[in-house]
Amino acid sequence: MSDPRRIEVNDASPDGAVSLYSKRERIQVKATSGRFQTIRNITILSTMGVYLLLPWLRWDGQQAVLFDLPGRQFRIFGMTFWPQDFLFLSWSLIIAAFALFFFTVLAGRVYCGYVCPQTTWTRFFQWIEHWLEGDRHSRLKMDAAPWTASKILRRGSKHVLWLLLAFLTGLTFVGYFSPITDLSARILTFGWGGWELFWVGFFTVATYGNAGFMREQVCLYMCPYARFQSVMFDRNTLIVSYDEERGEPRGKGAKKKQADTENPLGDCIDCGMCVQVCPTGIDIRDGLQYECITCAACIDACDDVMDHINKPRGLIRYTTENALEHKPSSVIRPRLIGYGAALLVMGTLFMASLYGRVPLQVDVLRDRNQLYRTTSAGNIENIYRLVILNKSQQAQRYELILDGPEGLSMETNKTFTLQGGQTLNLPVTVSYDPYVNEVPSSTIWFTVRSLDDPDLEKRHESRFIAPGR
Amino acid sequence: MSDFWSWFIIVIVAINLLGCAGLLLWNKQISPEEAAKETTGHSFDGIVERNSPLPRWWLGLFIGTLIFACVYLALYPGLGKFEGVLGWTSANQYDSEVSLMERQTGPLFDQYAQVPVEELINYPEALAVGGRLFANNCAICHGSDARGAKGYPNLADDDWLYGGEPAQIVTSITAGRKGMMPPMAAAIGNTDEAVRDMAIYVQSLSRPDLAKDAAKSAAIERAKPKFMMCAACHGPDGKGNQMLGAPNLTDAVWLYGPRIEDIEHTLRQGRSGNMPAHESLLSPERIHVIASYVYSLSQPAQQ
């Protein structure tokens, strides 16, 4: 079995033609443990834990994280984000992308192996599988065995548990968009609306299919990240790698042949452990392949074997291509520093703008039907429509202040109160009396300031247009 | 769409679908020699493409898209003139969304409709709704602050062309108003001087101090008798007539401007104001709410 995905010519149809499509060989992953698997267990437990528990957190008596789409508000730990704050979302996604670039340059597909949801859920599903059906060899045996009562019971309960976890996932997902306490409470009374039912069902089925059946197929054929990761690799990227110099020529019964000093065998005893534990079913000894998700299962498995045969660890290890070829290799290199600096700058600016965010929005629209208006008394007036949105969740009292040349005055109710999330449409008339003083066309500023919190103010520029001289 | 073009499209769609299906099936198998090759022969910068087979479920997805296309074309319009089983059209969708909105807002407007305009001005929410409706439907002419502009009446003062009682406001919005001032230059003497005299006289109705000026006083005297022509609409004392929408000439409110040139222009050319009828655009309940908003503007501040 040199390569499971090569087409064997012997599965040809009678007329000698070969199918262009290969039937998927189900990968039965052998469980493994070790340094890196311990880290992976911690990472996936924390990602899964955060995902499942976050919607249940409360903040000021409300759900701490709620993406209220019908209300067009994202509530995150007491902050409310409106559609006008879309830039924050864009920047957070850009920062996330740069973080991905940074870690890929550093250590390849390390994101995939340690924190990707696909990996997380697949491993949870594998634990259930392992618990009910045993490890790899017993699962393979069970696959081939006829349907007995015990097989039906084990298989059946596995799928029930899978569906339960998938349902929990779907419920949690919808809980980010529709208050989860209410959503869960309505399970018992069957009080779900059509869309809630549809989306919970959709994510249940998707999770069940993805983590139960698709698994590595997603990483191999669907994930876009797999397509462009190679752009970010270079010869100094940490990758999981088999040390060919040390391992080859591989052979079993190493002790016997060790006497043959003419062609001594390498350290690899060809036990196949690294292939059996690989979640994507590749043989790492063939060199770097795009399928490798850097999960280090083969490292842990091989280290275990090396310990058993009293050889040093690290026949398979995290290393760089340059280091393998005994060339100078440095993980800290300009490229990584560049990504890191960009990440740091963006992250700092992001946090700063988040901290300095004023939960108030002021838009000024000049009336478009006329440039200026002459009243019967001879005053020159400009009309504006101020759209003021209180983006906080508390009621605020505001005052409106006009900054402009001497002589301009504003006729409107200067203080007003807005409930949390309320929008006010305020027509404002700005005028001057040409018999008192002349005001040329000029730039003016409207300032809306909270009376409760002087720091909370927004200033908006506009233009006053006067008759030409 | 004529039958020909309808069939033209149907045939193209069918050929495309069948073509995709045929291509898929025809390419499902390759020769053993082809399959045995290590690479596809593509090489870029020394990177070669391996000749790995596609996963079989990929083929299933392709077939799934073909099935989806057939189902879609059966349900929705797409095959020429065939309208689809569901009978979906964008106009229908628009109508159903509008009627959904009407169903959602209907009860509220019905509630407001129960309350007379004079009382509705005490309901801040109703006025807020009215203000938004005003901004969308009226502000483009009357201004965001409803104080009008040249040729567009100020709705926020106490001066009304057609009356400021709720019923009159509702009528103005519903049926619209046509203001007609005929050209009067011919009737009052047809000379520049006569028109100028009359303009000064009209100004003097709201500014009695003009009579102190000797020249203007003479003009006023000359024009005074001719004002009979105007009195038919504006009344003998120039107080206007709300039945006709004839403005009051004795106050300081000028629809077309207070300057002598503005008044002369009115006399020579006449004016025709047009408030469009809104009954085809707005439901009676909405007009009721807008009328309350407009009515509230001229009432003492409701704080």
Side-chain angles (χ1 to χ4, degrees):
Chain A
M1 210 182 85
S2 64
D3 177 356
R5 281 183 323 287
R6 292 293 310 144
I7 300 178
E8 301 289 336
V9 181
N10 58 16
D11 63 11
S13 56
D15 60 351
V18 178
S19 172
L20 176 65
Y21 303 94
S22 62
K23 186 169 177 299
R24 179 188 168 200
E25 302 268 335
R26 184 156 179 79
I27 296 170
Q28 291 288 17
V29 178
K30 186 174 168 59
T32 166
S33 62
R35 288 176 298 167
F36 293 111
Q37 297 326 292
T38 311
I39 298 174
R40 272 181 92 205
N41 292 347
I42 294 167
T43 53
I44 72 163
L45 279 169
S46 32
T47 47
M48 180 68 107
V50 166
Y51 171 81
L52 289 179
L53 297 178
L54 202 54
W56 295 98
L57 278 186
R58 313 295 291 170
W59 191 278
D60 289 342
Q62 288 176 318
Q63 187 165 323
V65 179
L66 180 67
F67 304 117
D68 181 3
L69 294 179
R72 290 174 178 75
Q73 296 177 23
F74 285 7
R75 300 190 168 179
I76 300 167
F77 294 109
M79 287 180 126
T80 311
F81 292 93
W82 292 74
Q84 294 89 329
D85 297 320
F86 198 81
L87 268 179
F88 282 107
L89 180 64
S90 312
W91 278 110
S92 60
L93 291 175
I94 291 169
I95 289 169
F98 264 77
L100 192 65
F101 300 161
F102 177 84
F103 285 108
T104 308
V105 167
L106 177 70
R109 260 180 114 165
V110 73
Y111 165 82
C112 306
Y114 288 81
V115 287
C116 175
Q118 184 69 23
T119 293
T120 305
W121 266 262
T122 299
R123 288 204 78 202
F124 269 88
F125 273 51
Q126 280 171 345
W127 283 339
I128 292 171
E129 207 168 33
H130 189 264
W131 177 53
L132 285 165
E133 298 186 353
D135 202 1
R136 180 170 184 266
H137 61 279
S138 48
R139 286 204 303 273
L140 287 169
K141 268 212 301 241
M142 190 187 275
D143 282 347
W147 285 94
T148 58
S150 140
K151 178 171 171 177
I152 290 172
L153 181 71
R154 286 173 180 279
R155 271 278 140 97
S157 39
K158 175 182 86 172
H159 283 284
V160 168
L161 279 185
W162 276 8
L163 276 168
L164 262 176
L165 180 55
F167 174 75
L168 194 62
T169 307
L171 175 73
T172 308
F173 193 91
V174 175
Y176 277 94
F177 297 88
S178 170
I180 196 162
T181 43
D182 177 48
L183 191 72
S184 313
R186 280 184 287 127
I187 294 179
L188 305 173
T189 57
F190 297 102
W192 280 4
W195 281 115
E196 286 168 335
L197 208 61
F198 170 79
W199 284 116
V200 173
F202 175 85
F203 284 107
T204 302
V205 170
T207 308
Y208 177 69
N210 255 336
F213 300 91
M214 293 304 286
R215 292 193 178 171
E216 83 290 342
Q217 298 284 307
V218 174
C219 313
L220 266 46
Y221 298 112
M222 301 184 202
C223 178
Y225 179 51
R227 312 275 144 228
F228 68 80
Q229 52 159 336
S230 49
V231 178
M232 288 171 272
F233 276 54
D234 59 21
R235 303 189 78 78
N236 287 317
T237 300
L238 280 172
I239 47 172
V240 172
S241 204
Y242 166 72
D243 191 343
E244 222 168 291
E245 271 179 39
R246 212 187 112 184
E248 300 297 314
R250 56 188 92 153
K252 289 199 165 72
K255 285 208 175 81
K256 239 185 287 175
K257 300 213 174 155
Q258 215 58 302
D260 182 1
T261 46
E262 284 298 302
N263 343 302
L265 280 174
D267 284 351
C268 174
I269 57 165
D270 206 9
C271 64
M273 278 297 172
C274 53
V275 180
Q276 291 182 19
V277 299
C278 178
T280 58
I282 56 171
D283 187 343
I284 194 67
R285 294 170 301 178
D286 294 343
L288 173 64
Q289 290 146 80
Y290 87 92
E291 294 93 336
C292 172
I293 58 168
T294 319
C295 70
C298 51
I299 299 183
D300 284 330
C302 190
D303 281 352
D304 210 27
V305 171
M306 289 297 121
D307 289 350
H308 277 296
I309 62 169
N310 292 323
K311 290 267 163 55
R313 290 179 161 205
L315 177 59
I316 305 177
R317 64 181 182 272
Y318 275 114
T319 181
T320 69
E321 282 184 297
N322 274 344
L324 276 178
E325 294 165 13
H326 306 296
K327 289 178 183 162
S329 166
S330 161
V331 173
I332 311 292
R333 54 201 188 276
R335 200 178 177 186
L336 187 74
I337 295 166
Y339 275 126
L343 197 58
L344 203 66
V345 168
M346 282 194 296
T348 313
L349 288 175
F350 183 81
M351 292 317 281
S353 55
L354 206 56
Y355 177 76
R357 184 173 160 268
V358 175
L360 171 68
Q361 170 128 356
V362 179
D363 278 316
V364 178
L365 314 166
R366 286 192 86 259
D367 258 25
R368 289 177 303 181
N369 49 1
Q370 52 188 355
L371 294 179
Y372 62 87
R373 176 169 71 196
T374 314
T375 66
S376 298
N379 288 4
I380 306 295
E381 290 185 341
N382 277 212
I383 313 141
Y384 306 84
R385 176 174 290 281
L386 264 62
V387 183
I388 300 152
L389 165 62
N390 176 3
K391 292 205 269 187
S392 73
Q393 293 180 23
Q394 299 78 31
Q396 298 269 8
R397 290 184 309 133
Y398 298 104
E399 58 175 340
L400 177 63
I401 301 150
L402 171 73
D403 295 317
E406 189 64 31
L408 280 186
S409 64
M410 178 171 60
E411 316 170 28
T412 185
N413 188 2
K414 287 222 166 94
T415 60
F416 44 91
T417 303
L418 281 182
Q419 299 303 317
Q422 196 190 345
T423 308
L424 177 71
N425 243 315
L426 189 68
V428 174
T429 310
V430 176
S431 65
Y432 73 89
D433 186 345
Y435 296 108
V436 178
N437 49 5
E438 278 299 340
V439 176
S441 295
S442 50
T443 304
I444 57 171
W445 290 272
F446 290 102
T447 307
V448 175
R449 182 180 298 146
S450 167
L451 290 165
D452 308 314
D453 175 7
D455 288 343
L456 209 159
E457 68 163 47
K458 264 281 161 79
R459 196 172 149 93
H460 200 293
E461 183 183 321
S462 189
R463 195 118 180 101
F464 184 88
I465 295 182
R469 292 273 77 81
Chain B
M1 202 190 304
S2 71
D3 277 347
F4 169 77
W5 288 115
S6 175
W7 279 107
F8 179 81
I9 289 167
I10 292 171
V11 168
I12 286 182
V13 171
I15 287 175
N16 269 294
L17 280 176
L18 292 171
C20 288
L23 198 65
L24 266 182
L25 297 175
W26 178 53
N27 269 322
K28 244 177 77 170
Q29 301 203 308
I30 49 178
S31 66
E33 303 83 63
E34 193 69 34
K37 282 184 188 159
E38 270 296 323
T39 67
T40 58
H42 302 165
S43 166
F44 302 95
D45 297 343
I47 300 169
V48 292
E49 185 183 2
R50 279 186 63 186
N51 188 20
S52 302
L54 280 166
R56 191 188 284 170
W57 53 259
W58 203 251
L59 181 68
L61 281 187
F62 270 128
I63 293 165
T65 58
L66 290 173
I67 293 167
F68 177 88
C70 295
V71 171
Y72 178 92
L73 288 170
L75 294 178
Y76 290 98
L79 282 176
K81 280 204 290 198
F82 176 64
E83 287 173 358
V85 179
L86 296 182
W88 179 93
T89 67
S90 54
N92 279 353
Q93 187 172 353
Y94 170 77
D95 290 340
S96 70
E97 281 177 28
V98 167
S99 66
L100 173 70
M101 210 268 299
E102 290 290 347
R103 275 203 304 282
Q104 285 172 336
T105 56
L108 182 71
F109 280 109
D110 290 343
Q111 239 178 315
Y112 290 155
Q114 305 297 319
V115 184
V117 168
E118 294 90 334
E119 279 176 48
L120 201 58
I121 62 175
N122 300 318
Y123 291 68
E125 287 91 12
L127 290 187
V129 172
R132 284 192 286 273
L133 286 167
F134 184 91
N136 280 335
N137 293 288
C138 323
I140 193 65
C141 294
H142 292 283
S144 287
D145 58 356
R147 292 194 208 169
K150 189 174 178 179
Y152 301 100
N154 182 343
L155 306 178
D157 60 8
D158 284 334
D159 186 64
W160 296 92
L161 289 170
Y162 295 91
E165 290 310 306
Q168 294 164 316
I169 297 175
V170 169
T171 308
S172 293
I173 301 172
T174 309
R177 300 284 186 184
K178 285 230 181 312
M180 235 295 290
M181 157 92 190
M184 296 299 285
I188 57 175
N190 220 2
T191 60
D192 285 355
E193 194 205 11
V195 172
R196 169 61 57 110
D197 290 349
M198 182 56 81
I200 291 171
Y201 176 78
V202 172
Q203 260 195 335
S204 76
L205 291 175
S206 54
R207 292 173 58 188
D209 56 309
L210 290 184
K212 289 177 188 150
D213 180 305
K216 288 194 172 161
S217 167
I220 290 168
E221 289 307 317
R222 285 197 295 277
K224 201 169 187 171
K226 296 179 185 164
F227 190 73
M228 285 163 40
M229 313 277 184
C230 318
C233 298
H234 291 281
D237 51 1
K239 289 265 190 220
N241 180 347
Q242 293 192 342
M243 300 294 291
L244 302 169
N248 182 350
L249 304 176
T250 63
D251 59 11
V253 178
W254 296 92
L255 186 56
Y256 294 100
R259 296 176 313 154
I260 204 84
E261 296 84 350
D262 298 325
I263 301 171
E264 278 193 42
H265 181 102
T266 305
L267 290 168
R268 279 183 215 279
Q269 318 284 339
R271 297 282 184 182
S272 59
N274 181 14
M275 161 83 188
H278 281 77
E279 54 194 339
S280 59
L281 304 171
L282 293 166
S283 64
E285 295 81 15
R286 282 180 169 75
I287 290 176
H288 181 80
V289 176
I290 296 177
S292 309
Y293 175 75
V294 171
Y295 183 69
S296 75
L297 296 174
S298 51
Q299 299 305 306
Q302 311 278 330
Q303 284 307 324

